[in-house]
Amino acid sequence: MQKIIKVDYLTMPVMISRRKGTRHIRIAIKSDGVVRLSVPYGIPEIAARAFLKQKASWINKHHVVSHRLTDGMHIGKHHRLLILNGESSRSHTKITDTEIRVTLSSGAEIDSAKAQSIITKACEKALMKQAEGLLPQRIQLISTRTELPYSAIAIKKLKSRWGSCDSHNRIVLNSYLIQLDWKLIDYVICHELAHTKYHHHQSSFWNLVEKVYPDYKNARRLLKTKQTQVIIG
């Protein structure tokens, strides 16, 4: 059983869900922005609302407003999004060096979940194209400057990390990085290069990060405000 409620202390509606097997009250923020409050049978709604109110600060902090990709947006460093209405029964996309062209199927609504999914995937491909072209050059430049060599570089779409470095000094950078300011990109690169010498986050590691990137504390703080997704605006 599901029920949508609105409360004064939250800016978004909440879906109360009661399912068999649920033993505790739980809150989850779904990828589409929906706040779901799972409540066991037998617990009255007044108790569920009280729990919700206790968690209001956490919800408002972590809830991300759902954005829509629209025609004319700039994606990453040098791609422009162009969305067209087609006459075919199928949607198709084309990515050039500077343009992401998405032609939606006949009658498709740009704000629909299906259309947004198609547009998002096209943007992600463009970001990967940009990242593969620019990030390897950037890390090589910084590696030479800092005298911190690495063994290999790969660009991947990661869900929750901006980068990683394994015990063999193979570095992976997130393709979503290419959307960020170059100062933040350089911080992530310096962070991962520092791991080629220290494979931990103890004081010796952070001392090295500070040596190669003095403003790392500010960059680290700013990076926490960014999402590993197609960034709008």
Side-chain angles (χ1 to χ4, degrees):
M1 184 182 73
Q2 295 180 339
K3 176 182 178 181
I4 302 293
I5 65 170
K6 291 184 179 181
V7 290
D8 294 338
Y9 44 85
L10 293 177
T11 59
M12 74 296 294
V14 176
M15 177 181 290
I16 295 181
S17 176
R18 294 182 185 271
R19 293 183 178 179
K20 292 182 179 179
T22 301
R23 296 184 178 181
H24 306 283
I25 303 178
R26 293 180 179 177
I27 293 175
I29 302 175
K30 301 301 181 181
S31 58
D32 58 2
V34 173
V35 177
R36 182 189 297 273
L37 183 66
S38 299
V39 183
Y41 282 105
I43 292 183
E45 185 173 314
I46 189 172
R49 285 177 176 264
F51 180 85
L52 184 65
K53 190 170 185 178
Q54 290 177 356
K55 300 296 183 179
S57 178
W58 180 89
I59 295 171
N60 283 321
K61 179 180 178 181
H62 291 86
H63 184 264
V64 178
V65 178
S66 178
H67 294 289
R68 295 298 182 189
L69 293 162
T70 58
D71 182 64
M73 286 182 168
H74 291 279
I75 305 298
K77 292 288 181 280
H78 50 238
H79 273 88
R80 180 175 177 271
L81 178 59
L82 180 63
I83 304 174
L84 304 172
N85 293 316
E87 298 179 355
S88 172
S89 60
R90 298 180 62 184
S91 299
H92 61 273
T93 62
K94 181 180 180 181
I95 299 171
T96 67
D97 290 339
T98 59
E99 188 177 82
I100 306 165
R101 183 184 292 263
V102 180
T103 305
L104 298 175
S105 60
S106 177
E109 295 290 337
I110 188 174
D111 288 336
S112 68
K114 183 177 181 180
Q116 285 293 310
S117 176
I118 292 170
I119 297 168
T120 298
K121 289 179 181 178
C123 290
E124 289 174 342
K125 288 182 180 179
L127 291 173
M128 179 63 75
K129 182 182 179 73
Q130 292 182 39
E132 289 177 338
L134 297 173
L135 295 183
Q137 299 176 36
R138 195 74 168 192
I139 193 172
Q140 181 58 55
L141 178 68
I142 296 175
S143 172
T144 301
R145 187 187 72 203
T146 59
E147 298 182 343
L148 292 171
Y150 57 96
S151 62
I153 176 65
I155 310 299
K156 297 182 180 181
K157 186 180 75 171
L158 305 177
K159 292 184 178 181
S160 59
R161 303 178 71 180
W162 291 110
S164 65
C165 178
D166 67 15
S167 59
H168 299 286
N169 294 339
R170 294 175 297 206
I171 291 177
V172 174
L173 295 177
N174 195 328
S175 59
Y176 288 125
L177 258 181
I178 202 63
Q179 302 173 102
L180 305 184
D181 183 270
W182 280 112
K183 290 182 179 180
L184 289 183
I185 294 173
D186 288 352
Y187 161 67
V188 173
I189 290 175
C190 287
H191 183 111
E192 300 310 331
L193 286 174
H195 275 311
T196 64
K197 190 169 183 178
Y198 300 107
H199 294 279
H200 53 66
H201 285 103
Q202 296 174 17
S203 59
S204 54
F205 167 79
W206 290 113
N207 289 339
L208 177 57
V209 172
E210 185 173 24
K211 179 180 178 181
V212 296
Y213 196 99
D215 194 32
Y216 83 94
K217 290 183 179 179
N218 185 50
R220 189 184 181 198
R221 183 168 56 252
L222 287 174
L223 196 63
K224 290 180 179 180
T225 68
K226 306 300 181 182
Q227 301 291 323
T228 51
Q229 61 185 29
V230 179
I231 297 174
I232 300 170

